[in-house]
Amino acid sequence: MRTELAAAEALALILDETLPLAPESVDVRAAQGRVLAEAVVATRRIPPADNSAMDGYAVRRADLGAASAERPVALRVAFEIAAGGAPQQVLGAGEAARIFTGAPIPRGADAVVRQEDVLRDGESVRIPLCPAPRENVRDAGEDIEPGQLVLEPGTLIGPAHAGMLASLGRSVVAVHQRPRVALLSSGDELVEPDGDVAGGRIVSSNSYTLAAQCREVGAEPVYLGIARDTPEALEQRFRGGLRADVIVSSAGVSVGDRDYVRGVLTKLGCELRFWGVRIKPGFPLAFGRLGGDAGALVFGLPGNPVSAMVTFEEFVRPALRKLTGHRALFRPQVRARLAERLAKKPGRLHFVRVVLEHRDGEIVARSAGNQSSGALLPMLRGQGLLVFPAEASELREGEVASVQVLDPGFFDASQPGF
Ligand code: AMP
Ligand code: MG
């Protein structure tokens, strides 16, 4: 087992152990937010035929060469084509066909004139202009041609993808399974939110933050409850998670007398790949695999509420994204200008909870407050984690630093943008 790794080394070891989960078939209506596990190749042409972009009249341009506002040309309305119709007739010289949006263009016609531009007069229509070639005509196959690779594996399915899949005749699609994540908390001091907090007990908030972090990334949390601080209790809870894709525990993974997580994992046959990452918060992170090559990935997260959240964010979340089939595993990163000086000892990479603000076309960052690993409030006040590199000791006011944006709401706008 390796110890005291740099953050990037720890992440690389984790991602090396992580492969996308097998595909499953889902209804396209339920595929929103899932990741495609197949290549989607078109087997049909969209649109299937040349069709009208407007309600109006299909015409032959040769009839209208001399048309002008002063001298409109009168054409006989020979037939009518509705959307969904199939024109049998060929448009002859001196004829127009009444046509509606989406209806197929009849043979012989080479443009459509909008109905707003003409004067209908009984069985004939007077046209005061000559349209451009194929004006108001949508070409067969202008969106999709048969054989075209439309969606690549690894594509995140959104509304347009759902519509495209449906248009291609696909109501069922292969996506990667969602990871099932067994979550367990440990500690004699912990109770559930409705429990009695007399005598210095505290609520197991990690059970809530970690479950929510799982859901946010599209994984399914399975809560294994709170284990008391005994090896037996911990072992029993860990066994409850053996069939999950990932097991995430929090607390009991440091060097205290009652920190049994590593010992219990070893006893269960877990090969720990590493323990201890040179980061703050979250140094005592442990990672391994339980139950052989196809077994669950195990993350022993530290217990402090911010340490648990940050190590989940930095190490568990990318692994869950990879299991889910995503190609981009990480949060958006922005360059932010510091509104204040930050200082630390060199040696560990710090993830600083920061408040972000758009100001004069830039993003400005300042500390979200108490940087204690036990203080959860700055996690919800802040929108991001500023990456304070391991060997740096100071970031000056006005300097620019890299920030991972955790809150997608940071990019929400109060103005419409038009
Ligand atoms: P430990 O790693 O067991 O020493 O725990 C470190 C700190 O995290 C202690 O102050 C614990 O009380 C706290 N802690 C552990 N588990 C949880 C949890 N599930 N929810 C909130 N705080 C926790
Ligand atoms: Mg403890």
Side-chain angles (χ1 to χ4, degrees):
M1 184 195 68
R2 300 184 52 192
T3 187
E4 308 230 355
L5 278 69
E9 295 173 306
L11 183 62
L13 284 182
I14 291 166
L15 296 179
D16 261 5
E17 290 283 332
T18 309
L19 284 176
L21 295 174
E24 64 179 349
S25 294
V26 296
D27 191 303
V28 169
R29 284 193 184 85
Q32 171 89 350
R34 305 292 296 271
V35 180
L36 205 57
E38 61 170 320
V40 175
V41 176
T43 54
R44 59 177 68 163
R45 171 175 281 178
I46 303 174
D50 290 353
N51 68 94
S52 178
M54 292 286 170
D55 293 323
Y57 293 85
V59 296
R60 301 160 59 106
R61 294 181 59 252
D63 291 336
L64 297 171
S68 68
E70 297 75 42
R71 291 170 180 272
V73 171
L75 300 174
R76 187 175 73 84
V77 180
F79 54 97
E80 180 177 301
I81 316 148
Q88 304 300 325
Q89 275 168 270
V90 178
L91 196 69
E95 289 178 347
R98 178 76 171 120
I99 196 164
F100 300 96
T101 305
I105 304 291
R107 277 202 292 137
D110 53 11
V112 170
V113 180
R114 300 189 310 161
Q115 80 183 40
E116 295 90 323
D117 294 339
V118 308
L119 209 68
R120 178 73 186 254
D121 184 9
E123 289 307 291
S124 75
V125 60
R126 293 200 296 156
I127 300 186
L129 52 87
C130 182
R134 298 187 72 76
E135 191 167 330
N136 298 320
V137 175
R138 301 189 288 216
D139 295 341
E142 72 175 21
D143 200 9
I144 298 289
E145 288 287 0
Q148 184 178 336
L149 173 63
V150 181
L151 297 172
E152 291 186 43
T155 302
L156 178 65
I157 299 176
H161 307 78
M164 178 56 75
L165 285 161
S167 300
L168 293 170
R170 298 289 305 270
S171 58
V172 170
V173 74
V175 296
H176 290 281
Q177 288 172 21
R178 284 141 55 118
R180 290 182 0 112
V181 184
L183 290 177
L184 80 91
S185 298
S186 70
D188 285 342
E189 75 281 29
L190 301 178
V191 295
E192 298 294 351
D194 53 0
D196 182 1
V197 290
R201 288 176 171 245
I202 60 164
V203 170
S204 170
S205 59
N206 292 349
S207 310
Y208 283 72
T209 48
L210 296 171
Q213 286 178 289
C214 285
R215 285 194 202 93
E216 185 269 342
V217 69
E220 273 178 47
V222 182
Y223 184 45
L224 302 177
I226 299 170
R228 293 297 148 219
D229 277 329
T230 67
E232 297 72 30
L234 264 176
E235 184 178 329
Q236 190 205 339
R237 301 280 172 176
F238 270 115
R239 282 189 190 283
L242 283 176
R243 290 176 51 205
D245 300 302
V246 179
I247 304 175
V248 175
S249 71
S250 69
V253 74
S254 193
V255 293
D257 290 347
R258 297 191 168 217
D259 289 344
Y260 295 121
V261 166
R262 285 186 286 152
V264 165
L265 285 174
T266 307
K267 182 176 174 222
L268 284 169
C270 175
E271 252 188 76
L272 279 183
R273 298 287 198 273
F274 68 77
W275 174 78
V277 185
R278 298 200 307 273
I279 53 171
K280 190 176 177 185
F283 177 83
L285 173 67
F287 169 71
R289 193 187 271 288
L290 191 51
D293 276 356
L297 301 175
V298 183
F299 293 86
L301 308 187
N304 275 305
V306 180
S307 308
M309 280 195 87
V310 168
T311 48
F312 185 103
E313 181 62 40
E314 302 299 331
F315 300 98
V316 184
R317 187 178 184 277
L320 294 178
R321 298 260 306 178
K322 189 166 178 189
L323 287 169
T324 316
H326 282 281
R327 284 175 292 196
L329 307 183
F330 308 108
R331 294 282 191 185
Q333 290 139 44
V334 296
R335 303 286 292 162
R337 195 170 297 284
L338 273 166
E340 63 196 8
R341 174 180 180 268
L342 298 175
K344 70 167 175 65
K345 283 190 289 194
R348 291 187 185 180
L349 183 160
H350 284 208
F351 295 103
V352 184
R353 278 70 80 202
V354 290
V355 171
L356 298 175
E357 205 186 326
H358 296 282
R359 200 190 291 162
D360 304 331
E362 287 195 321
I363 297 173
V364 173
R366 62 187 159 80
S367 166
N370 187 353
Q371 296 289 325
S372 154
S373 59
L376 200 49
L377 195 57
M379 263 324 264
L380 65 96
R381 291 232 168 107
Q383 292 77 44
L385 294 175
L386 181 145
V387 179
F388 196 161
E391 294 320 316
S393 59
E394 184 190 25
L395 292 171
R396 289 184 305 278
E397 183 185 337
E399 204 171 321
V400 167
S402 180
V403 177
Q404 305 167 331
V405 182
L406 271 46
D407 176 9
F410 175 65
F411 295 108
D412 288 347
S414 55
Q415 296 297 320
F418 56 78

